Amino acid sequence: MRLSEIDEADAIAVLHAALGAGVSLLDTADVYGRDLHDVHGNERLVARALASWSGPRPMVVTKAGLIRTRGKWANDGRVAHLREACERSRAALGVDALDALLLHAPDPRTPIETSARALAALREAGLVRAIGLSNVTLSELDRARAVAPIELVEVAIAPGHDSVLRSGVIERCVEHGIRVLAHSPLGGPKRAPKLESDTTFAPLATKHGVSAAMIVLAWLRDLSPAIVPIPGVRSIAHALEVAGADAITLDDADRAALDARIPSGVRIRVPVAERKPRPDGTREVVVLMGIQGAGKSTIARELEGHLRLNRDELGGKLRGLVPRLDAALRDGVERVVLDNTYATRASRADVIDCAWKHRVPVRCVWLDTPVEVAQANVARRIVEAHGHLLGPNEILAVSKDDPGVVPPLALFRFRRELEAPSASEGFESIEIVPFARRARPEHTHAGRIVSADVIARDDVLDRLRASSDASLFAFAWAPGPTEREAAEIAVQRAREALGREIALHVCAHPAGPPICWCRPPLPGIAVLAVERAKLDVSRVELISPHGAHRAIADAIGARFVRVDAR
């Protein structure tokens, strides 16, 4: 309950009303307060309310792991910060040991194992009775559980925010007896009022003589005893209403209506083994997943007799393919392939649930293509479609109509978000397809691709003279006129020394996060050379003094030759 933002006397009255109605758990955090500078303010309010409460003491769950920096909240999961935050929360709540302390959110700069061990150390020291996590993925939960006794997980679950129900997090918690605190169950101040006109929740509310919001809370509790909804309340009337949701009993007809409205809830209420269809050898749905540029389209076209559903071709959002799948299976289509990224369990769950509704098994084919190779494939697709490497502004403009054009960060984001497919999702089988480079018959020429900063050196020139049949290319990152001039001078010297033409490709884009495909060590420039000269990559050498440029050679399948830096 984040009550420190209202009048203190009213806030304490609301807390006492909730406790008197049977509420046995209060949720807070060190960063909840009247304003951005009132750190631990809500905890101090809870302490004052409990000091004047004579009934049974509730469990107080608090959170740590955020700091205020540069005017914004930032994650901080370091051991020292969690230890200090624990001490401050103990003081604010006036207790020797916290009932429960959760990591507010994973810190990208701190391994989740480090934060989990820090919480476990506080528990072992007697400063915390229970520990947990908030806003985590399944992978983060599993990694934390491997090193610490995680007992609580807090995540957002609401009718309009059900991704966590499809992520595997709740199923894992139920499996291992971890209590799930469902925050924002009504969707927040803007979405909650809309529940009263919802075509599913409103009729059920009328049937049970309660509000639609109470049906949402009853739905969450009915999914599993492990789930504890923790709606925010700011009035005595609302506190009493929320507490009364425990008395609502849903019947099978209610569940059927709710399952139709929020199909992902079935994943929690009914075990996978009871829902999974048996294969009959004729019908199947194939989830063909992999990073952008992994080669999914090629494999999909090779699956004979399968209807292909691809977002790049059909447009719209990924979840928008599910109604098309539903219609196809309803119309009797026996085999369907969906070749999209499907980086997360949540994105794959929609497909599995839809197929299972029609009693069709789902198998997964994962193209486990290295990100460097995928980068080269994306760059090649751009060159083939547009004749040149697109600049940053062109990428943004063209990507609106051409889904095959994506910025470099899209691939890094996929790698960061990727959750490897698991049998626990319900797949009938999982096939991992390692990358295999395919020969391109029209590409027959040899080539040498050389970093411009060494191309005029005697040892490099000698190497190039020995490859008289190879096409020559130079590349450089030259964000300013000085760098550009230096590259042009070096390449001109090499031309004069060898008496041969040498194409120079320059990336002129600035430093910082990559916004183009041509800045080394991204492979765009090398891809451009390969495509324009029809190079056989098995006969290509990439020569450079920079170890980071090995990634370019690996991406296109060339041999990396590292020369000494001088």
Side-chain angles (χ1 to χ4, degrees):
M1 296 182 177
R2 195 182 305 201
L3 288 169
S4 56
E5 298 172 0
I6 65 176
D7 178 78
E8 181 170 319
D10 291 341
I12 290 177
V14 170
L15 280 172
H16 284 178
L19 295 172
V23 169
S24 59
L25 184 148
L26 300 180
D27 174 72
T28 185
D30 58 358
V31 296
Y32 295 169
R34 288 190 176 277
D35 52 43
L36 299 177
H37 305 288
D38 185 23
V39 181
H40 299 282
N42 205 75
E43 291 175 328
R44 287 189 288 267
L45 175 61
V46 168
R48 288 192 288 272
L50 294 181
S52 57
W53 171 249
S54 58
R57 182 181 175 86
M59 179 181 189
V60 178
V61 178
T62 192
K63 299 180 285 292
L66 295 179
I67 58 172
R68 190 75 177 167
T69 177
R70 298 177 182 176
K72 298 180 180 180
W73 290 113
N75 304 94
D76 190 344
R78 295 173 302 154
V79 174
H81 172 71
L82 295 178
R83 186 184 301 121
E84 179 182 0
C86 175
E87 292 300 323
R88 292 181 181 274
S89 290
R90 288 172 60 218
L93 287 165
V95 296
D96 293 330
L98 299 175
D99 292 336
L101 179 63
L102 278 57
L103 178 69
H104 208 139
D107 180 357
R109 299 167 299 178
T110 305
I112 191 72
E113 293 88 346
T114 299
S115 300
R117 289 191 182 97
L119 294 175
L122 296 172
R123 182 178 181 274
E124 292 171 4
L127 304 179
V128 176
R129 296 189 181 93
I131 60 173
L133 308 169
S134 183
N135 304 310
V136 290
T137 64
L138 179 61
S139 173
E140 290 165 339
L141 172 58
D142 286 344
R143 288 164 53 198
R145 285 186 56 249
V147 299
I150 303 300
E151 298 158 271
L152 300 100
V153 167
E154 183 172 330
V155 288
I157 313 177
H161 190 100
D162 68 333
S163 60
V164 72
L165 296 178
R166 295 177 281 118
S167 71
V169 169
I170 310 303
E171 291 169 277
R172 184 76 86 243
C173 289
V174 171
E175 178 185 0
H176 293 281
I178 299 172
R179 187 184 295 192
V180 178
L181 307 183
H183 75 76
S184 308
L186 305 181
K190 293 183 179 180
R191 292 180 177 176
K194 299 178 181 179
L195 293 171
E196 298 304 323
S197 59
D198 186 277
T199 56
T200 297
F201 292 109
L204 291 177
T206 300
K207 172 182 174 179
H208 288 273
V210 297
S211 68
M214 295 308 98
I215 295 297
V216 172
L217 300 183
W219 163 69
L220 281 170
R221 288 188 175 278
D222 189 69
L223 292 181
S224 170
I227 299 177
V228 180
I230 49 173
V233 297
R234 297 198 175 192
S235 70
I236 292 176
H238 193 199
L240 296 177
E241 182 188 29
V242 165
D246 289 351
I248 301 173
T249 302
L250 302 178
D251 59 29
D252 289 343
D254 299 334
R255 294 187 184 98
L258 291 165
D259 288 346
R261 170 69 170 78
I262 314 169
S264 53
V266 181
R267 289 185 152 262
I268 312 305
R269 193 165 45 76
V270 183
V272 169
E274 296 180 20
R275 293 183 289 115
K276 186 176 181 180
R278 293 182 179 180
D280 61 9
T282 59
R283 307 188 74 193
E284 73 166 3
V285 169
V286 179
V287 170
L288 179 55
M289 60 169 285
I291 196 170
Q292 297 95 330
K296 299 183 295 296
S297 297
T298 300
I299 300 298
R301 285 191 287 265
E302 294 174 352
L303 287 173
E304 296 182 2
H306 287 69
L307 171 67
R308 184 186 180 202
L309 298 178
N310 179 274
R311 185 174 67 94
D312 290 352
E313 294 188 350
L314 298 173
K317 296 183 178 180
L318 197 58
R319 294 190 77 175
L321 295 178
V322 176
R324 293 175 181 266
L325 173 64
D326 186 42
L329 296 177
R330 186 178 61 245
D331 292 343
V333 175
E334 293 190 337
R335 295 175 178 270
V336 183
V337 58
L338 298 96
D339 56 310
N340 302 281
T341 52
Y342 291 117
T344 65
R345 287 178 65 115
S347 65
R348 301 187 291 261
D350 288 330
V351 175
I352 295 172
D353 289 343
C354 179
W356 285 8
K357 184 176 72 172
H358 296 277
R359 308 306 300 165
V360 178
V362 183
R363 68 182 175 99
C364 178
V365 179
W366 177 20
L367 272 62
D368 189 15
T369 303
V371 67
E372 294 82 7
V373 174
Q375 290 170 346
N377 289 343
V378 171
R380 188 179 82 186
R381 186 184 302 165
I382 291 173
V383 172
E384 288 177 343
H386 303 278
H388 66 284
L389 288 173
L390 302 177
N393 293 333
E394 290 178 298
I395 290 174
L396 293 177
V398 173
S399 63
K400 296 177 182 179
D401 300 315
D402 184 352
V405 175
V406 295
L409 288 179
L411 275 69
F412 293 111
R413 183 168 57 251
F414 175 93
R415 185 168 60 178
R416 184 173 63 251
E417 296 175 352
L418 174 65
E419 295 178 83
S422 166
S424 65
E425 297 178 63
F427 289 119
E428 186 62 33
S429 63
I430 298 173
E431 178 184 359
I432 301 176
V433 180
F435 170 74
R437 197 176 302 278
R438 300 191 180 195
R440 303 172 70 191
E442 71 277 16
H443 285 243
T444 59
H445 303 294
R448 299 294 179 265
I449 304 172
V450 190
S451 180
D453 56 352
V454 297
I455 195 167
R457 279 179 18 184
D458 290 341
D459 58 328
V460 174
L461 291 172
D462 289 342
R463 189 175 191 94
L464 298 179
R465 289 189 184 97
S467 307
S468 58
D469 64 330
S471 299
L472 301 183
F473 302 87
F475 68 95
W477 175 44
T482 302
E483 294 92 342
R484 174 83 187 213
E485 182 181 8
E488 291 175 344
I489 291 173
V491 172
Q492 182 57 34
R493 288 176 178 170
R495 291 182 184 128
E496 294 171 354
L498 297 173
R500 297 183 56 191
E501 178 55 34
I502 302 174
L504 171 62
H505 299 293
V506 173
C507 171
H509 303 116
I515 55 176
C516 64
W517 284 103
C518 52
R519 196 179 81 198
L522 292 176
I525 287 178
V527 168
L528 189 63
V530 169
E531 295 306 304
R532 288 187 172 174
K534 302 296 182 184
L535 301 182
D536 174 0
V537 293
S538 68
R539 301 176 62 200
V540 173
E541 288 184 351
L542 191 143
I543 303 169
S544 171
H546 309 293
H549 290 172
R550 181 184 296 275
I552 302 175
D554 291 343
I556 65 173
R559 178 170 175 252
F560 180 64
V561 177
R562 186 170 184 177
V563 296
D564 294 336
R566 296 181 183 176

